Amino acid sequence: MSASRGPRRHKVRRRADMPLLGGARPPIAALLVLLLVVAATTALVLGDRERAAADTAVLTSQQHVAEDGALSLRASLDESITDIERAATQFGTGGGGAPDEILDKLGKVYNKWRGTAVVDPAGGTLLAARGETIPLAPVLGNGDGKGKDAKDLLGPRLVRLASGETRMLVVAALRGADHPLLLVASGTLNAPGISSGEGRSLLVVDSAGTVLASDGPSVARKSWAKRVRETAAADSAKTPEPGGHPGASGHLMGDSRGKVRTAVGYAAAGRAPGETSAAGGLGLSVITSVKVEGDPTAVRTQAFGLVAAGILLVLALVVGWVLLRTVQRPLLRLYLESRRLARGELDRPVARFKGREPARIGAALESLRRQLLGGRPTRAGRARGGFGTRGTVVVCAVLLLAWAAPLLLFLNRPGSSVSVPEQLVDDQRRRTDTASDRVRRALNEGWADVASVAQALAGGERAKSGDPAAYDKAVLDQTLREHGRYRAVYVIDGEGKVLSRSGATPRHPAGKPPVEDSVAQLNTSGKEPAVAAYAAVPGAKGLTVVGEYDPQFLISMVTRPGLGQVWLIDKGHRIIAADRAHGFRAFAKLPSGHLDALADTAVKKAGRTTGTAVLHRSSRSSDIAAAAPFTGGGAVKDLGWQVVSSQPTSWLELPEYTAQRHTMLAGLLGVTAAVACLGWLHIIVIRPLRSLADQAEALAAGDRKTVLFPQHHDEAGAVVRNLELIRQRLRPAQKPQARPAGRN
């Protein structure tokens, strides 16, 4: 009885000596756990996707429409505020003359103001006025500015008229006279430049939810404004994401009437932290709403997800069992056998192993046992047969990748026949129209800035300056500092010679006369587009101020999230600018023929909505494309430019594409788990095991000089340590004597 109990206790003690960390157990256990997690995730994320009364894509689109409107509103107001402040600086400090002359000059450059006035704040005296009567009480209080800080009088503010209309008043200081005067301008607060149409409503509200401007059909304005104000207040504390909308934005779903519901998007015309924007502090928000019809169609993927998860569970059990039987268990047995030999227990042969590397090591251990008993080194025990451990890991990887690869590459692909709501096509057209209008307005505003510089450089001001060239340079430098849209601002004569400049090297063609007051395209080839605004200097025959637009400014104008790929093209359909996310090559052609055809159609149907946006389907994919030429005239009327956009439908948040992305996610997780864990097993266990087989065979063949030391503290490392002990026992100098187990 005692003899039978002794070896059993000894065996338990040997197992306790094994390392608990490292080796084959952690990667195999991690693989099983991760595969179970992937199976559960697959079953959860591939549930049935019911179509709501409005798709998430439609709601997100309304949010983007509102964000476009908010940015357009803020940019327009900021530009108006800057215009008045610059005009006050130029016409005041430069000695613009009497108040009436200042307002006349202002009217020649900017005709967007409903009323302008020059006021003496000391006594509240109206010195000059143009256009409609300006309500000065909000500016001067009871009639004069006495007792008020000068800074409190300046800047923009919103004023509600008795008629219910809202005006934005901008107040700037006119300096250079005996005492400072105030330049006041009054403008209409309009809904942003988004084509409203019959089914869309636009509202501009203040921070209290009061509707200040509207466009489109009437809606429940107060209720929407209240809900948006409450939701936006909750979102306002969130820090905007990099590249995201600078302010609160989101979408809401209204009540249903049958199959029709109201999708609402809202966005604050705010400013990001650290951003300077006078209009961003007015507390304005844009609300857009549209009627949509629900689609009861559902995307059924629950059964597919359960089947895929079940198959993965079966594969996980099979792979785990195979790895335990062919990798971990043989390693433990090899450790026990090598440990027994290292301790001198040579009474029984080494067990036989299956698998190439375990069989080779086992045969080498048996040869070493015989040598410890007095035999000679031999290669007779060398074993080559069996399936290798590397091959076993490869087969396991192939099984798991055979499950993951179809999910990642082939299954649940909706193709080009997905049902795309018509509202998304309409929104793509509206947003493209808005982008086109934004670029057109920005170029026209740029020309107005150049025209105001030309007014400042008019003969009277230059004559009063001791050095007209120095005066010109100072005005140009100031313009370049205040406006980031230009790369260079300069003055040329009637023959195109540059007389004074600020910024980069001028690109006006040498020896060519300046074009008439307008925005012109200077080249049709090269590495970078050249676009400039020309404005003649009044009273100085032949002198023209030129402001060259920075290409990055044009790129920023067409970069909008959720609009897909956007291009600004010229008359010849050559690309002038494109959104930052995709980049462009200057003057390249549009990437697809259907976009060229759409651009041609948009030019023929300028001012109309039909035919300017299409859902284009091909054999492999589909996209929503839209084109919008410049309309509305101004300094850019002869450019013939337009904005073209293309949104792949696979980028939309439709249920079919959501199911596809979730399927790909499950496949990607499966690939990651298999590659990570099996790669870990191969590096930590399989490669050392193959090296161990070579070392064991070399020792069995008579190599007594090579010192064996483990690379890792695991099963393979433990076997190497035991082989080193055996090597030391076999060294000729020591001449070890074999001692059978159990003898004293």
Side-chain angles (χ1 to χ4, degrees):
M1 294 295 294
S2 61
S4 61
R5 291 177 182 174
R8 188 176 303 169
R9 290 195 300 269
H10 194 50
K11 186 176 182 180
V12 172
R13 181 167 54 83
R14 286 173 180 172
R15 288 184 179 273
D17 291 340
M18 284 295 296
L20 298 177
L21 297 176
R25 283 170 289 185
I28 295 176
L31 177 63
L32 291 176
V33 171
L34 288 179
L35 291 180
L36 292 176
V37 172
V38 173
T41 303
T42 302
L44 291 175
V45 302
L46 288 178
D48 291 343
R49 301 293 165 183
E50 298 286 346
R51 276 190 189 268
D55 290 315
T56 305
V58 175
L59 288 172
T60 304
S61 181
Q62 307 320 306
Q63 178 179 341
H64 287 319
V65 170
E67 290 174 351
D68 288 350
L71 287 179
S72 178
L73 176 65
R74 194 194 74 170
S76 177
L77 296 180
D78 277 336
E79 188 66 36
S80 298
I81 295 168
T82 303
D83 291 342
I84 291 300
E85 292 175 346
R86 288 190 68 251
T89 300
Q90 291 180 356
F91 300 149
T93 305
D100 286 309
E101 295 179 7
I102 293 175
L103 296 184
D104 289 340
K105 290 181 179 180
L106 183 64
K108 292 178 181 178
V109 179
Y110 302 108
N111 56 5
K112 56 187 174 183
W113 299 102
R114 298 182 66 92
T116 54
V118 176
V119 181
D120 183 355
T125 306
L126 179 65
L127 303 180
R130 297 289 186 275
E132 72 174 14
T133 302
I134 297 178
L136 295 177
V139 179
L140 301 176
N142 295 326
D144 61 68
K146 293 181 178 179
K148 284 192 174 185
D149 191 284
K151 295 182 179 179
D152 296 335
L153 300 176
L154 305 180
R157 68 204 69 195
L158 298 176
V159 177
R160 191 82 168 179
L161 302 182
S163 61
E165 294 182 278
T166 302
R167 294 286 186 268
M168 185 182 75
L169 299 185
V170 182
V171 183
L174 281 168
R175 307 184 186 279
D178 296 336
H179 58 276
L181 304 178
L182 297 180
L183 175 61
V184 186
S186 169
T188 305
L189 184 66
N190 295 319
I194 304 174
S195 55
S196 57
E198 297 180 357
R200 178 176 299 279
S201 295
L202 290 172
L203 303 177
V204 177
V205 300
D206 60 15
S207 56
T210 305
V211 177
L212 305 180
S214 64
D215 191 14
S218 60
V219 294
R221 298 178 180 178
K222 292 184 179 180
S223 61
W224 283 129
K226 182 179 179 181
R227 287 183 60 183
V228 167
R229 181 185 59 182
E230 294 172 353
T231 308
D235 295 342
S236 60
K238 300 179 182 178
T239 302
E241 298 180 359
H245 183 71
S249 67
H251 51 72
L252 302 171
M253 177 55 69
D255 299 330
S256 61
R257 293 184 179 180
K259 292 184 178 181
V260 179
R261 299 187 74 179
T262 303
V264 180
Y266 65 88
R271 53 193 174 196
E275 187 178 21
T276 57
S277 170
L282 295 177
L284 301 178
S285 297
V286 174
I287 305 174
T288 179
S289 61
V290 66
K291 301 290 185 181
V292 295
E293 292 188 6
D295 185 353
T297 305
V299 178
R300 305 292 180 185
T301 55
Q302 184 68 63
F304 175 85
L306 292 176
V307 170
I311 294 174
L312 182 58
L313 286 176
V314 172
L315 289 178
L317 295 177
V318 170
V319 168
W321 181 82
V322 169
L323 293 177
L324 288 174
R325 294 280 298 180
T326 61
V327 178
Q328 181 174 332
R329 186 174 297 178
L331 268 175
L332 293 175
R333 292 178 61 199
L334 285 171
Y335 166 74
L336 294 175
E337 293 290 350
S338 64
R339 183 68 169 170
R340 178 171 65 85
L341 298 184
R343 291 190 174 190
E345 300 174 9
L346 311 175
D347 54 332
R348 53 191 175 85
V350 175
R352 292 182 176 272
F353 292 86
K354 295 181 180 180
R356 183 179 303 164
E357 287 78 12
R360 291 172 58 192
I361 299 171
L365 289 175
E366 174 61 20
S367 176
L368 292 171
R369 186 186 73 86
R370 293 175 181 175
Q371 294 176 41
L372 289 171
L373 291 172
R376 299 177 61 84
T378 177
R379 294 180 179 271
R382 190 177 179 85
R384 291 291 183 183
F387 198 71
T389 51
R390 185 188 331 193
T392 301
V393 172
V394 169
V395 170
C396 293
V398 169
L399 286 175
L400 296 178
L401 293 179
W403 177 88
L407 297 180
L408 187 60
L409 301 175
F410 305 112
L411 299 179
N412 266 356
R413 294 301 186 271
S416 60
S417 59
V418 176
S419 176
V420 178
E422 187 64 30
Q423 184 62 49
L424 294 179
V425 181
D426 186 61
D427 288 344
Q428 187 78 10
R429 176 186 61 80
R430 295 178 191 276
R431 296 194 65 201
T432 306
D433 287 345
T434 302
S436 176
D437 184 69
R438 181 167 59 248
V439 178
R440 181 188 65 84
R441 287 176 180 270
L443 294 176
N444 278 337
E445 290 285 354
W447 177 87
D449 291 335
V450 173
S452 70
V453 174
Q455 288 284 346
L457 298 183
E461 285 76 3
R462 298 178 80 248
K464 295 175 184 177
S465 173
D467 184 358
Y471 175 79
D472 294 355
K473 182 68 166 55
V475 174
L476 299 180
D477 288 342
Q478 179 184 353
T479 303
L480 196 63
R481 284 194 307 269
E482 293 178 347
H483 296 281
R485 61 164 57 100
Y486 305 114
R487 65 178 295 274
V489 183
Y490 49 94
V491 179
I492 59 176
D493 60 16
E495 298 179 353
K497 181 181 178 181
V498 178
L499 304 179
S500 181
R501 73 180 179 92
S502 179
T505 303
R507 292 188 289 188
H508 176 84
K512 185 176 180 180
V515 298
E516 194 175 347
D517 291 356
S518 64
V519 176
Q521 181 177 337
L522 303 182
N523 61 348
T524 57
S525 62
K527 295 183 178 180
E528 192 175 68
V531 185
Y534 290 81
V537 178
K541 188 175 182 180
L543 292 186
T544 302
V545 180
V546 184
E548 288 187 13
Y549 294 98
D550 190 337
Q552 292 300 320
F553 167 72
L554 298 177
I555 292 173
S556 67
M557 288 291 101
V558 297
T559 300
R560 289 299 302 137
L563 195 54
Q565 296 176 275
V566 187
W567 303 274
L568 176 64
I569 61 174
D570 62 10
K571 286 182 179 179
H573 295 184
R574 293 175 290 262
I575 298 176
I576 302 299
D579 61 289
R580 289 194 180 97
H582 301 92
F584 73 104
R585 184 167 60 88
F587 306 110
K589 291 293 185 179
L590 290 171
S592 178
H594 77 278
L595 297 176
D596 282 303
L598 185 62
D600 289 332
T601 302
V603 172
K604 295 176 183 177
K605 297 184 177 182
R608 297 163 61 182
T609 60
T610 57
T612 57
V614 296
L615 174 60
H616 178 263
R617 299 183 186 272
S618 63
S619 58
R620 295 185 178 180
S621 62
S622 60
D623 69 294
I624 305 174
F630 285 2
T631 57
V636 299
K637 62 181 179 181
D638 296 327
L639 280 180
W641 287 6
Q642 57 182 312
V643 173
V644 179
S645 66
S646 175
Q647 172 91 306
T649 56
S650 59
W651 297 2
L652 302 174
E653 297 180 68
L654 297 176
E656 294 87 349
Y657 293 116
T658 300
Q660 174 186 339
R661 287 189 283 268
H662 287 173
T663 303
M664 295 175 66
L665 173 63
L668 182 61
L669 292 176
V671 170
T672 303
V675 171
C677 295
L678 293 179
W680 179 13
L681 183 66
H682 181 268
I683 294 172
I684 298 299
V685 177
I686 304 304
R687 287 200 308 188
L689 185 62
R690 291 167 61 85
S691 176
L692 173 59
D694 294 335
Q695 292 173 336
E697 289 178 340
L699 181 60
D703 182 5
R704 304 290 186 263
K705 296 182 179 181
T706 303
V707 178
L708 305 177
F709 55 91
Q711 295 180 348
H712 304 285
H713 183 66
D714 54 14
E715 297 94 335
V719 175
V720 173
R721 285 195 298 271
N722 293 333
L723 287 177
E724 173 61 19
L725 294 175
I726 295 172
R727 184 190 71 84
Q728 294 177 8
R729 293 172 64 89
L730 289 172
R731 291 180 64 181
Q734 296 180 355
K735 297 182 180 180
Q737 298 294 327
R739 180 176 62 85
R743 293 186 180 181
N744 295 325

